Amino acid sequence: MRLKLILAAVLFSSLLSNHAQESAASTSREEVMVGGRTIKLPAPVGFERIDGLQPEVDRMVEGMLPASNRYLARFDPPKNSVPDEGRGFNVQVMRSIENREIGDRTFGDIKEQTKAEIEKAQETIRQEIAKVGGKAEKALQDATDADAALSLSDVVMLGCFDDSPSSLGFTMALNIAAKAGDKSVKSKLVIASMIVPVNGRLIYLYANADFNSAADRAWAEQAVSTWRDAVVAANPRVEGPSAKGLDFSRIGRSGLIGAAIGGVVALVAMLFKKKKQA
């Protein structure tokens, strides 16, 4: 009898240990570090985190970003999820402000400056995206070890869809044409971006989709808004200092460029995986 109790206790302890390890792994996949601060990132509903699973893909997509941006996480639909194919999420941070305390109050002070930058900087954004496109093409060539080409064109700012006290949402669209070896893809993307302070750090949330109709734009804007609500709810609210003296115009422009490249990554990574499987 005593032996049975001991065996049962050992088995129960093992189950608890396995559960604890699984829980710890799950929790670690829901957290990122920004400027020494832990940010909880619940996955968008129906999506799963994919960065860290395929190092070669991570190197490729990170190589496509402008130097001003850093990826925190990327999310795709589960495998064989046909309804959401071509849709994805990612979150980035601007390196230049990664260690700066920016809370709700701070962002409120710079929000109008950021909004004005979005409205006036479209031509500059087009030029900068063209430069970044060359870097992205090189990353695609290195990752696929094949002749590759990447073209980003017809960038259009579609305006702001969210203007709440502590967040700002804007949408853009662009055409992408990518080729690696004998694999190619052409598409029009819509990217809904949300700038939001979370636990005293400013992060950029992105939802992107193939742009076939107004419904795709509506999905992206609603999806990133819902994700913002979940991320904000999972983290402490921080008021932050005044933003007096902080020039946010150049930082805002970097975010817009990062938004475009962040959206492009979804299709290019998909192209890369198809080539590896061929």
Side-chain angles (χ1 to χ4, degrees):
M1 179 68 179
R2 183 179 179 187
L3 178 60
K4 289 182 179 179
L5 290 174
I6 292 173
L7 290 174
V10 170
L11 176 60
F12 182 66
S13 175
S14 176
L15 290 173
L16 285 178
S17 176
N18 288 340
H19 177 70
Q21 290 174 1
E22 290 173 1
S23 297
S26 175
T27 299
S28 67
R29 293 291 287 170
E30 291 185 357
E31 296 180 348
V32 296
M33 294 297 295
V34 180
R37 193 76 54 85
T38 299
I39 303 292
K40 294 183 179 179
L41 276 181
V45 176
F47 287 72
E48 57 188 20
R49 189 169 174 182
I50 60 167
D51 58 288
L53 303 180
Q54 293 182 295
E56 68 275 22
V57 177
D58 288 342
R59 286 192 293 270
M60 179 184 70
V61 298
E62 288 165 5
M64 290 182 175
L65 272 189
S68 57
N69 295 42
R70 180 170 76 86
Y71 273 113
L72 299 178
R74 295 181 291 118
F75 302 83
D76 269 3
K79 291 180 180 178
N80 303 319
S81 179
V82 177
D84 288 324
E85 187 174 346
R87 294 178 174 180
F89 295 82
N90 74 85
V91 55
Q92 301 172 30
V93 65
M94 302 298 107
R95 296 181 187 275
S96 59
I97 57 171
E98 186 167 352
N99 296 292
R100 186 153 189 163
E101 186 80 357
I102 298 179
D104 293 348
R105 174 190 176 192
T106 323
F107 184 70
D109 289 348
I110 60 178
K111 188 177 65 172
E112 289 306 312
Q113 188 181 66
T114 306
K115 188 176 178 181
E117 183 66 25
I118 292 171
E119 294 172 349
K120 74 181 183 182
Q122 181 161 293
E123 184 54 40
T124 302
I125 292 166
R126 286 196 188 100
Q127 295 171 5
E128 292 300 316
I129 286 176
K131 296 177 185 177
V132 174
K135 178 183 178 183
E137 182 175 279
K138 178 64 165 58
L140 180 60
Q141 290 173 345
D142 292 344
T144 58
D145 196 25
D147 290 336
L150 178 67
S151 172
L152 313 177
S153 62
D154 300 327
V155 180
V156 178
M157 303 306 300
L158 301 178
C160 294
F161 64 89
D162 174 88
D163 190 359
S164 61
S166 58
S167 64
L168 181 65
F170 59 92
T171 313
M172 62 194 306
L174 73 160
N175 290 326
I176 170 177
K179 185 177 185 298
D182 60 349
K183 304 293 183 181
S184 63
V185 62
K186 290 184 178 180
S187 183
K188 188 175 184 69
L189 283 181
V190 60
I191 305 164
S193 310
M194 187 73 72
I195 310 174
V196 56
V198 177
N199 196 16
R201 297 294 184 264
L202 195 66
I203 63 174
Y204 290 65
L205 304 173
Y206 304 117
N208 58 273
D210 291 342
F211 193 9
N212 299 309
S213 71
D216 297 310
R217 175 182 177 180
W219 175 87
E221 292 174 351
Q222 181 58 53
V224 79
S225 298
T226 300
W227 191 28
R228 172 209 54 201
D229 293 344
V231 171
V232 169
N235 290 274
R237 299 302 294 265
V238 175
E239 182 178 359
S242 168
K244 184 177 180 180
L246 175 61
D247 180 5
F248 204 71
S249 59
R250 292 182 62 185
I251 298 171
R253 187 179 306 133
S254 296
L256 299 180
I257 296 165
I261 303 304
V264 166
V265 160
L267 282 180
V268 176
M270 180 179 68
L271 169 66
F272 174 65
K273 286 187 287 187
K274 285 182 177 178
K275 176 175 175 56
K276 294 291 281 187
Q277 294 166 1

